[in-house]
Amino acid sequence: MATAKKKKTTNNYFKFIKWFWILFITGLIIPVLIFLVASWGWFGELPTFERLENPQTNLATEIISSDGVTLGKYYIDDNRTPIPFEELPKTLIDALVATEDARYYEHSGIDARGTLRAFAFLGKKGGASTISQQLAKQLFTGRASTGWQRYTQKIKEWVIATRLERQYTKDEIIGMYFNIYDFNYNADGIRSAAKIYFSKEPNELSVQEAAMLVGMFKNSSLYNPVRREKMVLDRRNTVLGQMAKYDYITEKVKDSLQKLPLGLRFSPESHQDGLATYFRMHLQKFLNNWIKKNPKPALKGERDKWNIYLDGLKIYTTIDSRMQQNAEDAVKEHMKRLQAEFFNQNTPDRNKTAPFLDLNSKEIERIMERAIKTSDRWRKMKGNGKSEKEIRASFKKPTPMVVFDWNSEGSEKDTIMTPIDSIRYYKSFLRTAMMSMEPQTGHVKAWVGGLNYKHFQYDNVIQGARQAGSTFKPFVYAAAIDQLRLSPCETLYDDEYCIEAGKHGNQEAWCPKNSDGKYSLENMTLKKALANSVNTVTAQLMDKVGPRTVVNMAKNMGITREIPEVPSIALGTPDVNVYEMVGAFGTFANAGVYVKPVLVTRIEDKNGTVLYEYVPETRDVMSNEVAYAMVDLMKGVVQSGSGGRLRHSYNKNNRVYKEVITGYPYNLNNPIAGKTGTTQNNSDGWFMGMVPNLVTGVWVGGEERATHFKSITYGQGATMALPIWGLYMTKNYANKELDVSDGDFKKPENMSIELDCKKVLEEQTEENAPANDDLENLDF
């Protein structure tokens, strides 16, 4: 009996041992089998080796200024610009490891202790996802599934995590994780997040700011600092607590940091906001043309064309962010005051046809009809199948809208008006364009295409073309000096001058008047004639060289638009744009060599491989002597002509200076060459200004040529456009780092063209010359 009992006990013992080993071995085999079948794709497709090497994430294309500032990005859904691990601050990495994966540097993708804890307590004491697993989910498995699929997804994440650990270093995995995460508000990746939430680069983040962003890894939609500040503050403090727990910061530091507010500087990024918006939109066209001509060396299964929204290109531009900001500020300061004066002069009680002048009701109706049919509202409603009657009725229905307004915060206001009234409202705004370029290299330093890209999307720098007015005259003078070897001291008589019909291709006799309708009836040097924009002298020069010579000169200097070969072009009747005019005037400052304006110096792919480097487009147009003679002529414009406002004091009782001429006097006493321009009816105001290493052009006018000031006092280029140049240059000179030249233009050695008009006059009138004191006071 005892023996039988002993035998039974022994059998039970061996049974227990047997089942123990069966369960133990099964426990070892099952995870291995699970890993195997998962790796074979039984639970769904896994990424290939090639995809692990090059995980496909959508990367925004970054636009970088010449001084290393990000001007903006091109993206559709993912505003992601990756940065290497080395550029991540230690506080960010410490916060991540302390909060998300304390044993990160000890495991190989799966935290065994954490996994066992999660199974034992059913996740109530924290999950077991390592940073590698979370990256695997972000890159390859996506959002968490439910039910059985959640378990298979978790297994796939384990497999991918171990593969990632074999493929990449720990530092690379952390870098990828920071770069992949979506922090909301188009803040894809840590760089965008730092910019959007704190207006900083990642390496500038403080400890508490880094802790807030790491806290968002738990769930960025839930822990939204803009909408749930208290919840995010608590979460940030939890992260700081974890950092203290693992000795990344002291308890004392933790306690002090937990008392601080979030300190957000929220600045969401948009294609329509930020710096250089007009330039960025034009640059997009440049890139699209480049893409057409440069196929992508794609791997199998990839796109064969570059995509500026997905491929993470880096576009290195010539724009200087500091000069761009100065340009935008100058435009805003002046245009706000100029517009106020325009509204003052064109109120309905003063002008029943405002903002149009000199038009009858039928002409105004034609303008409004054209605007209606080219509007977004018309196009969209037409595309939705609406009848013309329904569309026209919608233009007369009061509608809530946001409109541009200089005097409102953010330059826009909420209002209710009919769409037809809004069209007329927007046509009442004067528009502007400004471009600044380094003449020796062609590098464009600043580009302002309008008042506000969100509300005025027409880029007047390059899309718009308006009559050049007197800014075209330097082409005539350059042709005459180049062809006839005239000196700026050459004199011509200021009196009525006609080019008879049939000569130079004109059908009728052309007898231009001076702007004031008067003639001085005196011999006038070319320098004085250009400084005062004397039309009769310009007409005589045109007659001497002929329109074809002038047209060829303008074409060689970069003007591509059609210019009729008729004498009247001498007074600036051709339409030109600011982009081409700046390039053309750069020829004068660059010793007679034309350099085509440059926007992009280099394009790189996401790995830093250079895809494009610009090659300058240049050509010799005139000798350096002729170019310098032209510069000397245009220095006279600023010294004693229509550009003199850049130098001289003014009468403080003069209303135009009080109301419009912002920032005057500018006290710019360095050598400056320039030319103002005003077109018929004061529809366009121009100023082209040059110092040795910077050429800048400014245009101001209405969208419609009928939108203009009544008098030349306000409508001339010296009032409308020149102040923007003055403000811009004053701001540039205030920043010595910009190195904008305040010296003189370089004079050619052995200059054969005489520039000293007093010396010439002394030689020509030696016997009857005025006294020396009188010579000093003569205006040449």
Side-chain angles (χ1 to χ4, degrees):
M1 189 80 177
T3 303
K5 187 175 182 180
K6 185 177 180 180
K7 189 175 181 180
K8 185 177 179 182
T9 302
T10 302
N11 289 338
N12 288 339
Y13 174 75
F14 279 113
K15 261 187 192 180
F16 173 78
I17 294 297
K18 184 176 87 171
W19 281 107
F20 170 79
W21 283 107
I22 289 172
L23 291 173
F24 179 76
I25 293 170
T26 302
L28 292 176
I29 292 173
I30 287 176
V32 174
L33 285 174
I34 290 173
F35 265 82
L36 277 174
V37 297
S39 65
W40 295 336
W42 286 21
F43 296 150
E45 184 181 1
L46 290 173
T48 63
F49 175 82
E50 288 77 12
R51 282 194 68 198
L52 285 173
E53 275 284 319
N54 299 284
Q56 293 298 307
T57 56
N58 294 336
L59 304 178
T61 286
E62 186 177 11
I63 308 159
I64 303 168
S65 70
S66 61
D67 55 319
V69 173
T70 298
L71 295 173
K73 300 175 186 177
Y74 298 125
Y75 61 90
I76 298 176
D77 297 316
D78 296 335
N79 177 19
R80 180 177 293 105
T81 305
I83 59 173
F85 174 84
E86 293 75 22
E87 294 183 21
L88 295 173
K90 187 174 183 300
T91 51
L92 261 179
I93 299 162
D94 292 344
L96 177 68
V97 172
T99 308
E100 298 290 329
D101 194 351
R103 287 179 291 278
Y104 175 69
Y105 291 102
E106 299 170 14
H107 62 68
S108 298
I110 299 174
D111 182 1
R113 287 168 57 185
T115 302
L116 290 173
R117 184 189 68 235
F119 273 117
F121 296 97
L122 301 177
K124 293 180 180 178
K125 291 194 175 183
S129 285
T130 64
I131 292 172
S132 304
Q133 287 174 247
Q134 292 178 48
L135 176 61
K137 181 168 71 173
Q138 291 284 330
L139 286 173
F140 301 112
T141 61
R143 293 181 178 275
S145 304
T146 57
W148 171 249
Q149 288 184 335
R150 175 63 191 133
Y151 294 107
T152 59
Q153 178 177 307
K154 197 71 177 175
I155 293 167
K156 288 165 64 178
E157 289 169 13
W158 286 346
V159 174
I160 297 169
T162 57
R163 291 184 176 181
L164 287 172
E165 291 271 352
R166 291 199 301 269
Q167 199 73 28
Y168 299 99
T169 66
K170 290 283 188 180
D171 290 350
E172 288 173 332
I173 288 172
I174 283 182
M176 291 169 70
Y177 187 47
F178 272 115
N179 284 320
I180 193 68
Y181 194 75
D182 180 359
F183 290 87
N184 277 336
Y185 299 106
N186 289 323
D188 299 299
I190 191 63
R191 188 169 183 212
S192 293
K195 278 278 190 183
I196 288 172
Y197 289 112
F198 296 109
S199 299
K200 293 182 176 181
E201 290 292 334
N203 58 12
E204 299 172 328
L205 293 170
S206 64
V207 176
Q208 69 271 19
E209 291 166 346
M212 190 207 85
L213 293 175
V214 167
M216 293 177 70
F217 278 120
K218 188 171 184 178
N219 185 329
S220 60
S221 295
L222 180 64
Y223 293 97
N224 182 325
V226 177
R227 298 176 57 195
R228 301 185 181 92
E229 184 176 351
K230 177 63 169 63
M231 182 183 288
V232 174
L233 188 66
D234 292 341
R235 176 62 183 164
R236 182 205 68 179
N237 289 345
T238 298
V239 174
L240 291 170
Q242 288 294 105
M243 294 179 74
K245 176 181 176 181
Y246 291 103
D247 296 325
Y248 291 113
I249 58 175
T250 65
E251 286 290 330
K252 184 178 179 180
V253 170
K254 179 205 75 172
D255 292 340
S256 64
L257 293 179
Q258 286 181 338
K259 295 175 184 177
L260 296 175
L262 288 180
L264 290 180
R265 293 180 62 191
F266 184 59
S267 53
E269 294 183 348
S270 163
H271 299 301
Q272 296 184 343
D273 298 311
L275 200 61
T277 46
Y278 289 93
F279 172 80
R280 282 152 43 196
M281 291 303 106
H282 176 69
L283 179 62
Q284 193 171 352
K285 298 174 185 175
F286 169 89
L287 293 174
N288 288 335
N289 289 332
W290 174 79
I291 286 169
K292 290 177 183 177
K293 300 174 184 177
N294 296 271
K296 179 181 180 182
L299 298 172
K300 186 178 180 181
E302 290 187 349
R303 297 181 300 272
D304 61 354
K305 288 185 178 180
W306 293 105
N307 189 310
I308 63 173
Y309 304 107
L310 306 175
D311 287 337
L313 303 177
K314 288 187 182 297
I315 315 300
Y316 293 89
T317 72
T318 59
I319 294 291
D320 186 296
S321 68
R322 300 159 296 183
M323 296 173 79
Q324 179 69 31
Q325 188 66 63
N326 290 344
E328 294 186 15
D329 289 345
V331 165
K332 182 176 180 179
E333 287 177 38
H334 177 63
M335 293 304 295
K336 183 176 180 178
R337 295 186 67 174
L338 186 69
Q339 188 65 49
E341 181 58 30
F342 183 79
F343 281 146
N344 180 59
Q345 295 185 21
N346 289 277
T347 54
D349 58 324
R350 293 188 181 185
N351 173 20
K352 294 181 180 180
T353 63
F356 312 111
L357 297 180
D358 312 319
L359 296 185
N360 57 43
S361 58
K362 288 186 177 180
E363 290 171 324
I364 294 174
E365 187 178 333
R366 279 198 295 271
I367 289 175
M368 297 300 293
E369 178 69 10
R370 183 177 69 246
I372 288 170
K373 289 192 172 181
T374 56
S375 68
D376 286 340
R377 173 178 288 269
W378 182 283
R379 178 178 53 80
K380 289 177 181 177
M381 292 186 73
K382 198 77 173 175
N384 291 331
K386 301 294 183 180
S387 67
E388 184 169 325
K389 183 179 180 180
E390 290 175 302
I391 297 173
R392 290 190 180 278
S394 76
F395 275 89
K396 298 177 181 179
K397 181 180 178 182
T399 305
M401 61 181 70
V402 178
V403 298
F404 180 79
D405 179 49
W406 276 123
N407 297 314
S408 298
E409 185 177 353
S411 297
E412 59 183 21
K413 67 179 180 181
D414 295 318
T415 189
I416 297 176
M417 66 171 68
T418 64
I420 189 69
D421 285 341
S422 74
I423 289 175
R424 195 155 185 161
Y425 172 76
Y426 275 107
K427 285 189 178 296
S428 68
F429 281 92
L430 297 172
R431 314 299 173 88
T432 188
M434 176 184 183
M435 189 179 110
S436 195
M437 183 192 81
E438 187 177 75
Q440 291 76 24
T441 61
H443 288 191
V444 176
K445 294 298 181 181
W447 178 302
V448 184
L451 307 177
N452 179 296
Y453 185 78
K454 184 176 180 181
H455 294 278
F456 305 92
Q457 296 189 0
Y458 190 79
D459 186 348
N460 289 289
V461 167
I462 198 161
Q463 289 180 294
R466 297 292 283 266
Q467 287 188 336
S470 292
T471 56
F472 194 86
K473 288 178 180 176
F475 300 129
V476 181
Y477 279 70
I481 293 174
D482 184 53
Q483 294 294 311
L484 307 176
R485 303 303 292 177
L486 299 180
S487 160
C489 304
E490 182 82 18
T491 59
L492 293 173
Y493 195 66
D494 176 23
D495 192 4
E496 183 179 28
Y497 187 88
C498 294
I499 297 178
E500 62 267 25
K503 191 176 183 182
H504 304 309
N506 56 317
Q507 295 180 351
E508 297 179 355
W510 183 57
C511 307
K513 298 182 181 298
N514 291 329
S515 60
D516 58 2
K518 302 175 182 178
Y519 311 103
S520 65
L521 304 178
E522 65 177 31
N523 282 317
M524 188 177 292
T525 63
L526 298 189
K527 191 167 187 176
K528 183 177 180 180
L530 185 64
N532 294 281
S533 261
V534 179
N535 292 339
T536 58
V537 172
T538 308
Q540 292 176 63
L541 293 176
M542 172 61 80
D543 195 16
K544 289 177 183 293
V545 296
R548 178 168 297 180
T549 303
V550 175
V551 170
N552 289 340
M553 176 64 72
K555 294 285 186 181
N556 286 334
M557 293 173 70
I559 305 299
T560 62
R561 292 178 177 272
E562 191 64 32
I563 304 175
E565 294 182 4
V566 294
S568 61
I569 64 172
L571 304 189
T573 55
D575 283 354
V576 294
N577 62 35
V578 171
Y579 173 86
E580 291 185 348
M581 286 293 280
V582 171
F585 272 66
T587 308
F588 298 130
N590 191 37
V593 179
Y594 169 76
V595 182
K596 185 176 181 180
V598 178
L599 308 179
V600 176
T601 56
R602 189 170 79 255
I603 300 175
E604 294 179 358
D605 68 10
K606 64 181 179 181
N607 299 315
T609 303
V610 177
L611 306 175
Y612 165 86
E613 282 189 291
Y614 90 104
V615 177
E617 294 184 40
T618 68
R619 58 176 169 267
D620 292 338
V621 178
M622 64 188 76
S623 71
N624 61 350
E625 288 187 319
V626 173
Y628 186 80
M630 285 304 304
V631 168
D632 188 70
L633 276 169
M634 287 187 282
K635 283 166 70 175
V637 174
V638 177
Q639 289 166 350
S640 59
S642 55
R645 290 178 176 179
L646 293 170
R647 299 202 186 283
H648 308 310
S649 59
Y650 62 95
N651 180 357
K652 292 183 179 180
N653 295 320
N654 189 330
R655 184 173 178 273
V656 68
Y657 290 99
K658 285 185 175 182
E659 302 299 326
V660 176
I661 311 298
T662 321
Y664 191 92
Y666 307 104
N667 297 317
L668 296 173
N669 297 313
N670 53 294
I672 297 169
K675 186 71 190 80
T676 56
T678 308
T679 63
Q680 189 175 14
N681 295 328
N682 311 312
S683 293
D684 306 278
W686 290 81
F687 184 71
M688 305 297 300
M690 301 184 290
V691 295
N693 66 351
L694 197 66
V695 177
T696 304
V698 184
W699 166 85
V700 175
E703 180 184 17
E704 304 291 338
R705 296 177 200 257
T707 301
H708 58 80
F709 281 102
K710 291 181 180 179
S711 71
I712 197 169
T713 302
Y714 291 92
Q716 64 180 303
T719 304
M720 293 213 293
L722 179 143
I724 293 176
W725 194 94
L727 286 168
Y728 170 65
M729 293 301 289
T730 301
K731 295 173 189 294
N732 285 342
Y733 283 127
N735 186 344
K736 300 300 181 184
E737 292 182 0
L738 294 177
D739 196 28
V740 176
S741 173
D742 60 0
D744 205 347
F745 295 84
K746 185 178 179 180
K747 185 176 181 179
E749 296 180 5
N750 303 316
M751 183 77 181
S752 62
I753 300 175
E754 185 56 66
L755 304 176
D756 187 348
C757 296
K758 291 178 181 177
K759 179 181 177 182
V760 172
L761 187 60
E762 286 176 338
E763 292 175 351
Q764 291 177 346
T765 60
E766 186 174 358
E767 292 183 1
N768 301 311
N772 289 337
D773 288 343
D774 293 332
L775 278 172
E776 290 298 320
N777 295 320
L778 283 175
D779 180 7
F780 293 96

